[in-house]
Amino acid sequence: PKLISYAHASDDGDDNNEDRDEDEDQDEDGDEGGNEDQDEDDGDNEDNDIDILAPILTSVSISSNNNDHSLAKEGDSVTLNFTANELLTIPIVTIAGHNEVVTYLEDSYTATHVMIRDDAEETIPFTIDFTDLAENAGTKVLVTTDSSSVTY
């Protein structure tokens, strides 16, 4: 990505532009004053955009490693898989009330909980709290997108 820094003139009229690269001394239209043509578009708007949109989880599913993936017993692993429409900071995930480590691989986030005797015998609840890299918070997720569930 292209990094642009702007220097502001001080009150005494001294422009402190010493940190500019030499190739910035002349722009495309020959202006050697080092002035930024801020209304020109270099075609790379991505660096100028500010992300204000909340991220969205596009896919959320839960399953167990039991022969019946919708059931779990003590010692079974219950895995929550989800994807988002953009990169996230490290999401905070709970499964059956336990905070779990989240891993990211090939555009997918995963968290796993090994069921223990003290876990409640019910449909296993989960939560996903997440933000994008611009620190926009997504809406907490409590349900899957594919109607999957696991009962302990």
PDB file of all heavy atoms in Angstrom, residues 4 14-16 21 23 25-26 48 71 73-74 81-82 86 90 110 117 128-129 137 140 149 151:
ATOM      1  N   ILE A   4       1.077   7.942   2.284  1.00  0.00           N
ATOM      2  CA  ILE A   4       1.229   9.369   2.005  1.00  0.00           C
ATOM      3  C   ILE A   4       1.209  10.092   3.333  1.00  0.00           C
ATOM      4  O   ILE A   4       0.325   9.875   4.150  1.00  0.00           O
ATOM      5  CB  ILE A   4       0.089   9.899   1.115  1.00  0.00           C
ATOM      6  CG1 ILE A   4       0.079   9.171  -0.222  1.00  0.00           C
ATOM      7  CG2 ILE A   4       0.232  11.398   0.905  1.00  0.00           C
ATOM      8  CD1 ILE A   4      -1.091   9.532  -1.095  1.00  0.00           C
ATOM      9  N   ASP A  14       7.822  28.398   7.836  1.00  0.00           N
ATOM     10  CA  ASP A  14       8.818  27.396   7.515  1.00  0.00           C
ATOM     11  C   ASP A  14       8.127  26.065   7.217  1.00  0.00           C
ATOM     12  O   ASP A  14       7.539  25.458   8.093  1.00  0.00           O
ATOM     13  CB  ASP A  14       9.779  27.236   8.701  1.00  0.00           C
ATOM     14  CG  ASP A  14      10.844  26.179   8.448  1.00  0.00           C
ATOM     15  OD1 ASP A  14      11.166  25.937   7.264  1.00  0.00           O
ATOM     16  OD2 ASP A  14      11.340  25.607   9.437  1.00  0.00           O
ATOM     17  N   ASP A  15       8.175  25.612   5.956  1.00  0.00           N
ATOM     18  CA  ASP A  15       7.624  24.312   5.577  1.00  0.00           C
ATOM     19  C   ASP A  15       8.660  23.257   5.901  1.00  0.00           C
ATOM     20  O   ASP A  15       9.738  23.244   5.320  1.00  0.00           O
ATOM     21  CB  ASP A  15       7.298  24.247   4.080  1.00  0.00           C
ATOM     22  CG  ASP A  15       6.039  25.002   3.733  1.00  0.00           C
ATOM     23  OD1 ASP A  15       5.213  25.194   4.642  1.00  0.00           O
ATOM     24  OD2 ASP A  15       5.887  25.390   2.559  1.00  0.00           O
ATOM     25  N   ASN A  16       8.355  22.403   6.826  1.00  0.00           N
ATOM     26  CA  ASN A  16       9.291  21.354   7.200  1.00  0.00           C
ATOM     27  C   ASN A  16       8.946  20.090   6.440  1.00  0.00           C
ATOM     28  O   ASN A  16       8.272  19.213   6.929  1.00  0.00           O
ATOM     29  CB  ASN A  16       9.237  21.118   8.715  1.00  0.00           C
ATOM     30  CG  ASN A  16      10.295  20.141   9.163  1.00  0.00           C
ATOM     31  OD1 ASN A  16      11.120  19.724   8.359  1.00  0.00           O
ATOM     32  ND2 ASN A  16      10.287  19.791  10.434  1.00  0.00           N
ATOM     33  N   ASP A  21      10.331  11.908   0.378  1.00  0.00           N
ATOM     34  CA  ASP A  21      11.211  11.206  -0.540  1.00  0.00           C
ATOM     35  C   ASP A  21      11.509  12.126  -1.708  1.00  0.00           C
ATOM     36  O   ASP A  21      10.688  12.947  -2.097  1.00  0.00           O
ATOM     37  CB  ASP A  21      10.546   9.927  -1.066  1.00  0.00           C
ATOM     38  CG  ASP A  21      10.403   8.874   0.005  1.00  0.00           C
ATOM     39  OD1 ASP A  21      11.174   8.887   0.982  1.00  0.00           O
ATOM     40  OD2 ASP A  21       9.511   8.038  -0.159  1.00  0.00           O
ATOM     41  N   ASP A  23      11.513  11.487  -4.819  1.00  0.00           N
ATOM     42  CA  ASP A  23      10.609  11.313  -5.957  1.00  0.00           C
ATOM     43  C   ASP A  23       9.286  12.043  -5.756  1.00  0.00           C
ATOM     44  O   ASP A  23       8.489  12.134  -6.668  1.00  0.00           O
ATOM     45  CB  ASP A  23      10.367   9.834  -6.258  1.00  0.00           C
ATOM     46  CG  ASP A  23       9.709   9.100  -5.121  1.00  0.00           C
ATOM     47  OD1 ASP A  23       9.602   9.678  -4.013  1.00  0.00           O
ATOM     48  OD2 ASP A  23       9.315   7.943  -5.334  1.00  0.00           O
ATOM     49  N   ASP A  25       9.339  15.241  -5.080  1.00  0.00           N
ATOM     50  CA  ASP A  25       9.636  16.632  -5.371  1.00  0.00           C
ATOM     51  C   ASP A  25       8.907  17.130  -6.612  1.00  0.00           C
ATOM     52  O   ASP A  25       8.666  18.315  -6.771  1.00  0.00           O
ATOM     53  CB  ASP A  25      11.136  16.843  -5.541  1.00  0.00           C
ATOM     54  CG  ASP A  25      11.860  16.762  -4.204  1.00  0.00           C
ATOM     55  OD1 ASP A  25      11.204  16.912  -3.150  1.00  0.00           O
ATOM     56  OD2 ASP A  25      13.071  16.543  -4.229  1.00  0.00           O
ATOM     57  N   GLN A  26       8.554  16.252  -7.537  1.00  0.00           N
ATOM     58  CA  GLN A  26       7.845  16.667  -8.741  1.00  0.00           C
ATOM     59  C   GLN A  26       6.698  15.694  -8.954  1.00  0.00           C
ATOM     60  O   GLN A  26       6.901  14.494  -9.013  1.00  0.00           O
ATOM     61  CB  GLN A  26       8.785  16.660  -9.941  1.00  0.00           C
ATOM     62  CG  GLN A  26       8.121  17.150 -11.198  1.00  0.00           C
ATOM     63  CD  GLN A  26       9.131  17.313 -12.328  1.00  0.00           C
ATOM     64  OE1 GLN A  26      10.294  17.023 -12.165  1.00  0.00           O
ATOM     65  NE2 GLN A  26       8.668  17.777 -13.447  1.00  0.00           N
ATOM     66  N   ASN A  48      -7.281   5.491   0.678  1.00  0.00           N
ATOM     67  CA  ASN A  48      -7.922   6.694   1.154  1.00  0.00           C
ATOM     68  C   ASN A  48      -9.248   6.407   1.851  1.00  0.00           C
ATOM     69  O   ASN A  48      -9.812   7.291   2.470  1.00  0.00           O
ATOM     70  CB  ASN A  48      -8.160   7.659  -0.011  1.00  0.00           C
ATOM     71  CG  ASN A  48      -6.851   8.042  -0.681  1.00  0.00           C
ATOM     72  OD1 ASN A  48      -5.829   8.158  -0.031  1.00  0.00           O
ATOM     73  ND2 ASN A  48      -6.881   8.219  -1.982  1.00  0.00           N
ATOM     74  N   LEU A  71     -24.712 -34.632  18.309  1.00  0.00           N
ATOM     75  CA  LEU A  71     -24.680 -35.063  19.711  1.00  0.00           C
ATOM     76  C   LEU A  71     -23.242 -35.050  20.230  1.00  0.00           C
ATOM     77  O   LEU A  71     -22.301 -35.251  19.457  1.00  0.00           O
ATOM     78  CB  LEU A  71     -25.252 -36.477  19.861  1.00  0.00           C
ATOM     79  CG  LEU A  71     -26.712 -36.676  19.464  1.00  0.00           C
ATOM     80  CD1 LEU A  71     -27.087 -38.156  19.561  1.00  0.00           C
ATOM     81  CD2 LEU A  71     -27.626 -35.824  20.338  1.00  0.00           C
ATOM     82  N   LYS A  73     -20.878 -36.258  23.904  1.00  0.00           N
ATOM     83  CA  LYS A  73     -20.801 -36.846  25.242  1.00  0.00           C
ATOM     84  C   LYS A  73     -19.484 -36.404  25.861  1.00  0.00           C
ATOM     85  O   LYS A  73     -18.644 -35.784  25.185  1.00  0.00           O
ATOM     86  CB  LYS A  73     -20.922 -38.365  25.174  1.00  0.00           C
ATOM     87  CG  LYS A  73     -19.805 -39.059  24.429  1.00  0.00           C
ATOM     88  CD  LYS A  73     -20.049 -40.552  24.357  1.00  0.00           C
ATOM     89  CE  LYS A  73     -18.957 -41.370  23.744  1.00  0.00           C
ATOM     90  NZ  LYS A  73     -18.167 -40.835  22.680  1.00  0.00           N
ATOM     91  N   GLU A  74     -19.301 -36.684  27.125  1.00  0.00           N
ATOM     92  CA  GLU A  74     -18.067 -36.299  27.803  1.00  0.00           C
ATOM     93  C   GLU A  74     -16.859 -36.793  27.010  1.00  0.00           C
ATOM     94  O   GLU A  74     -16.816 -37.939  26.565  1.00  0.00           O
ATOM     95  CB  GLU A  74     -18.037 -36.895  29.215  1.00  0.00           C
ATOM     96  CG  GLU A  74     -16.851 -36.449  30.032  1.00  0.00           C
ATOM     97  CD  GLU A  74     -16.851 -37.015  31.448  1.00  0.00           C
ATOM     98  OE1 GLU A  74     -17.903 -37.499  31.920  1.00  0.00           O
ATOM     99  OE2 GLU A  74     -15.786 -36.967  32.083  1.00  0.00           O
ATOM    100  N   ASN A  81     -17.150 -23.424  13.623  1.00  0.00           N
ATOM    101  CA  ASN A  81     -16.461 -22.891  12.445  1.00  0.00           C
ATOM    102  C   ASN A  81     -17.218 -21.676  11.955  1.00  0.00           C
ATOM    103  O   ASN A  81     -18.455 -21.703  11.898  1.00  0.00           O
ATOM    104  CB  ASN A  81     -16.410 -23.920  11.313  1.00  0.00           C
ATOM    105  CG  ASN A  81     -15.488 -25.059  11.618  1.00  0.00           C
ATOM    106  OD1 ASN A  81     -14.306 -24.858  11.841  1.00  0.00           O
ATOM    107  ND2 ASN A  81     -16.033 -26.261  11.643  1.00  0.00           N
ATOM    108  N   PHE A  82     -16.491 -20.622  11.570  1.00  0.00           N
ATOM    109  CA  PHE A  82     -17.161 -19.447  11.012  1.00  0.00           C
ATOM    110  C   PHE A  82     -16.250 -18.693  10.069  1.00  0.00           C
ATOM    111  O   PHE A  82     -15.019 -18.783  10.142  1.00  0.00           O
ATOM    112  CB  PHE A  82     -17.706 -18.534  12.113  1.00  0.00           C
ATOM    113  CG  PHE A  82     -16.722 -18.046  13.128  1.00  0.00           C
ATOM    114  CD1 PHE A  82     -16.153 -16.783  13.031  1.00  0.00           C
ATOM    115  CD2 PHE A  82     -16.380 -18.841  14.221  1.00  0.00           C
ATOM    116  CE1 PHE A  82     -15.263 -16.324  13.991  1.00  0.00           C
ATOM    117  CE2 PHE A  82     -15.499 -18.381  15.185  1.00  0.00           C
ATOM    118  CZ  PHE A  82     -14.935 -17.128  15.062  1.00  0.00           C
ATOM    119  N   GLU A  86     -14.708 -10.042   6.036  1.00  0.00           N
ATOM    120  CA  GLU A  86     -13.413  -9.361   6.053  1.00  0.00           C
ATOM    121  C   GLU A  86     -12.580  -9.927   7.192  1.00  0.00           C
ATOM    122  O   GLU A  86     -13.084 -10.659   8.044  1.00  0.00           O
ATOM    123  CB  GLU A  86     -13.596  -7.854   6.206  1.00  0.00           C
ATOM    124  CG  GLU A  86     -14.299  -7.445   7.491  1.00  0.00           C
ATOM    125  CD  GLU A  86     -14.513  -5.940   7.583  1.00  0.00           C
ATOM    126  OE1 GLU A  86     -13.518  -5.204   7.532  1.00  0.00           O
ATOM    127  OE2 GLU A  86     -15.676  -5.516   7.688  1.00  0.00           O
ATOM    128  N   ILE A  90      -8.679 -10.918  16.741  1.00  0.00           N
ATOM    129  CA  ILE A  90      -8.945 -12.218  17.354  1.00  0.00           C
ATOM    130  C   ILE A  90     -10.338 -12.210  17.988  1.00  0.00           C
ATOM    131  O   ILE A  90     -10.590 -11.471  18.940  1.00  0.00           O
ATOM    132  CB  ILE A  90      -7.878 -12.558  18.409  1.00  0.00           C
ATOM    133  CG1 ILE A  90      -6.511 -12.603  17.746  1.00  0.00           C
ATOM    134  CG2 ILE A  90      -8.199 -13.879  19.091  1.00  0.00           C
ATOM    135  CD1 ILE A  90      -5.356 -12.705  18.726  1.00  0.00           C
ATOM    136  N   THR A 110     -11.879 -21.073  13.691  1.00  0.00           N
ATOM    137  CA  THR A 110     -12.308 -22.300  14.369  1.00  0.00           C
ATOM    138  C   THR A 110     -12.023 -22.200  15.860  1.00  0.00           C
ATOM    139  O   THR A 110     -10.974 -21.699  16.262  1.00  0.00           O
ATOM    140  CB  THR A 110     -11.545 -23.521  13.797  1.00  0.00           C
ATOM    141  OG1 THR A 110     -11.766 -23.599  12.390  1.00  0.00           O
ATOM    142  CG2 THR A 110     -12.004 -24.810  14.441  1.00  0.00           C
ATOM    143  N   ARG A 117     -17.577 -33.323  32.286  1.00  0.00           N
ATOM    144  CA  ARG A 117     -18.703 -33.795  33.096  1.00  0.00           C
ATOM    145  C   ARG A 117     -19.567 -32.646  33.607  1.00  0.00           C
ATOM    146  O   ARG A 117     -20.787 -32.755  33.685  1.00  0.00           O
ATOM    147  CB  ARG A 117     -18.183 -34.618  34.263  1.00  0.00           C
ATOM    148  CG  ARG A 117     -19.280 -35.182  35.149  1.00  0.00           C
ATOM    149  CD  ARG A 117     -18.758 -35.991  36.284  1.00  0.00           C
ATOM    150  NE  ARG A 117     -17.387 -36.424  36.005  1.00  0.00           N
ATOM    151  CZ  ARG A 117     -16.685 -37.244  36.757  1.00  0.00           C
ATOM    152  NH1 ARG A 117     -17.212 -37.720  37.851  1.00  0.00           N
ATOM    153  NH2 ARG A 117     -15.460 -37.594  36.454  1.00  0.00           N
ATOM    154  N   ILE A 128     -20.037 -15.547  19.839  1.00  0.00           N
ATOM    155  CA  ILE A 128     -18.897 -15.044  19.072  1.00  0.00           C
ATOM    156  C   ILE A 128     -18.964 -13.520  19.108  1.00  0.00           C
ATOM    157  O   ILE A 128     -19.925 -12.923  18.626  1.00  0.00           O
ATOM    158  CB  ILE A 128     -18.919 -15.516  17.601  1.00  0.00           C
ATOM    159  CG1 ILE A 128     -19.045 -17.042  17.493  1.00  0.00           C
ATOM    160  CG2 ILE A 128     -17.671 -15.012  16.861  1.00  0.00           C
ATOM    161  CD1 ILE A 128     -19.293 -17.544  16.079  1.00  0.00           C
ATOM    162  N   ASP A 129     -17.963 -12.901  19.732  1.00  0.00           N
ATOM    163  CA  ASP A 129     -17.816 -11.448  19.718  1.00  0.00           C
ATOM    164  C   ASP A 129     -16.637 -11.141  18.805  1.00  0.00           C
ATOM    165  O   ASP A 129     -15.577 -11.780  18.920  1.00  0.00           O
ATOM    166  CB  ASP A 129     -17.523 -10.919  21.126  1.00  0.00           C
ATOM    167  CG  ASP A 129     -18.737 -11.030  22.033  1.00  0.00           C
ATOM    168  OD1 ASP A 129     -19.723 -10.322  21.776  1.00  0.00           O
ATOM    169  OD2 ASP A 129     -18.696 -11.832  22.987  1.00  0.00           O
ATOM    170  N   ALA A 137     -17.082  -3.054  15.554  1.00  0.00           N
ATOM    171  CA  ALA A 137     -17.622  -4.249  16.211  1.00  0.00           C
ATOM    172  C   ALA A 137     -18.752  -4.856  15.385  1.00  0.00           C
ATOM    173  O   ALA A 137     -19.617  -4.144  14.877  1.00  0.00           O
ATOM    174  CB  ALA A 137     -18.134  -3.904  17.598  1.00  0.00           C
ATOM    175  N   LYS A 140     -22.878  -9.504  18.079  1.00  0.00           N
ATOM    176  CA  LYS A 140     -22.618 -10.790  18.737  1.00  0.00           C
ATOM    177  C   LYS A 140     -23.462 -11.879  18.093  1.00  0.00           C
ATOM    178  O   LYS A 140     -24.654 -11.701  17.845  1.00  0.00           O
ATOM    179  CB  LYS A 140     -22.944 -10.700  20.219  1.00  0.00           C
ATOM    180  CG  LYS A 140     -22.733 -12.014  20.968  1.00  0.00           C
ATOM    181  CD  LYS A 140     -23.152 -11.922  22.411  1.00  0.00           C
ATOM    182  CE  LYS A 140     -22.081 -11.185  23.145  1.00  0.00           C
ATOM    183  NZ  LYS A 140     -21.948 -11.539  24.560  1.00  0.00           N
ATOM    184  N   SER A 149     -26.710 -27.647  15.293  1.00  0.00           N
ATOM    185  CA  SER A 149     -26.636 -27.549  16.743  1.00  0.00           C
ATOM    186  C   SER A 149     -26.065 -28.856  17.269  1.00  0.00           C
ATOM    187  O   SER A 149     -26.057 -29.872  16.578  1.00  0.00           O
ATOM    188  CB  SER A 149     -27.996 -27.266  17.366  1.00  0.00           C
ATOM    189  OG  SER A 149     -28.858 -28.355  17.166  1.00  0.00           O
ATOM    190  N   THR A 151     -26.164 -31.245  20.892  1.00  0.00           N
ATOM    191  CA  THR A 151     -26.777 -31.462  22.207  1.00  0.00           C
ATOM    192  C   THR A 151     -25.849 -32.344  23.037  1.00  0.00           C
ATOM    193  O   THR A 151     -25.357 -33.369  22.549  1.00  0.00           O
ATOM    194  CB  THR A 151     -28.160 -32.123  22.054  1.00  0.00           C
ATOM    195  OG1 THR A 151     -28.970 -31.292  21.251  1.00  0.00           O
ATOM    196  CG2 THR A 151     -28.822 -32.318  23.412  1.00  0.00           C
TER     197      THR A 151
END
